[in-house]
Amino acid sequence: MSRRPRLFAHTLTGAAVALIVGGCGGSGGSTGDDNAAAGAGKLSSAPASPSASVGTDRPQVTLPSDVTDEYVGWKTGDAAKDAVLADVAARIDSTNDAILRGDTGAPGLSFYYRDKALSGAVAWIQAYLDADLSFAGTTRYYAPKVTLASGKTTATVLYCSDESKGFNKNRKTGKVDRTPSDQSPYVLYNTRVEKNDSGVWQTTALTSHRGDKACAG
């Protein structure tokens, strides 16, 4: 049997990192780019993400031209909620950038994560390195829901991702494995974010559930 293991979705609860893999076999995908991997080449600005909230300068993230983080419905019309979502999207981009570059010390990580969630993110990126994998293709993030706490310095963010057009890539050879997966490409994320003194919404906890009915279809 040949199954594509999905390494995309992850769980960061405290220091725990769950690799959601399906078993033996391949992976599917275009190519993400780490600087050392074959097939990298051109870099282009990450496709339109929600604009980060003004104030503190955010790390600039550039993804390879064959990797797209697509955000659908990521504007609510509420300025406070949109500021939260902008930093969540920037955290996603920064995490993917760190995976593609193979850099567990990428500045975006400590900027958008903190405490045990930061150590969990580093461990997740290291898992990609240990597996000699990168990724490529398009991941769609959609159906965000923001709940702000009364003090408006903490929030819960639920959102879905669709990984059906995203694929794992061998970091050493640059080969993309397009073997179909028997796992659902839909993932529900539940995150807790806290606003720091610089006005940045940092992730302090993140859990995921692959195949959640709230995201399918």
Side-chain angles (χ1 to χ4, degrees):
M1 101 179 45
S2 179
R3 299 179 184 173
R4 172 187 158 207
R6 292 187 182 274
L7 287 183
F8 279 23
H10 58 286
T11 302
L12 303 175
T13 307
V17 178
L19 297 183
I20 303 180
V21 294
C24 46
S27 68
S30 317
T31 60
D33 193 350
D34 55 277
N35 290 339
K42 307 174 190 176
L43 293 179
S44 63
S45 296
S49 302
S51 300
S53 50
V54 296
T56 302
D57 290 339
R58 268 63 175 168
Q60 295 299 304
V61 172
T62 301
L63 298 178
S65 59
D66 58 357
V67 174
T68 300
D69 288 343
E70 182 180 60
Y71 298 91
V72 179
W74 219 255
K75 290 282 190 179
T76 68
D78 180 292
K81 291 182 178 180
D82 286 348
V84 173
L85 288 175
D87 279 345
V88 170
R91 184 262 297 162
I92 294 169
D93 289 344
S94 294
T95 305
N96 288 341
D97 175 64
I99 292 170
L100 296 170
R101 294 178 182 278
D103 183 5
T104 58
L109 299 179
S110 58
F111 193 90
Y112 289 113
Y113 291 96
R114 77 188 209 203
D115 304 330
K116 292 182 178 179
L118 174 58
S119 60
V122 170
W124 173 246
I125 294 161
Q126 186 61 50
Y128 264 95
L129 296 175
D130 292 345
D132 287 327
L133 289 176
S134 180
F135 66 88
T138 297
T139 305
R140 182 169 62 100
Y141 300 94
Y142 60 101
K145 181 179 180 181
V146 181
T147 303
L148 282 162
S150 58
K152 295 189 176 181
T153 58
T154 63
T156 299
V157 183
L158 297 174
Y159 62 92
C160 295
S161 72
D162 175 5
E163 299 174 354
S164 60
K165 295 182 180 179
F167 309 96
N168 292 330
K169 168 190 174 181
N170 187 289
R171 190 176 292 275
K172 290 182 177 178
T173 66
K175 181 180 178 181
V176 175
D177 184 349
R178 298 182 181 275
T179 306
S181 174
D182 60 359
Q183 298 176 64
S184 172
Y186 302 109
V187 184
L188 175 66
Y189 289 90
N190 187 342
T191 72
R192 175 183 171 85
V193 294
E194 298 182 15
K195 193 175 185 179
N196 69 11
D197 293 341
S198 299
V200 179
W201 288 93
Q202 295 180 304
T203 295
T204 58
L206 189 160
T207 62
S208 64
H209 180 207
R210 184 174 295 283
D212 196 288
K213 293 180 180 179
C215 297

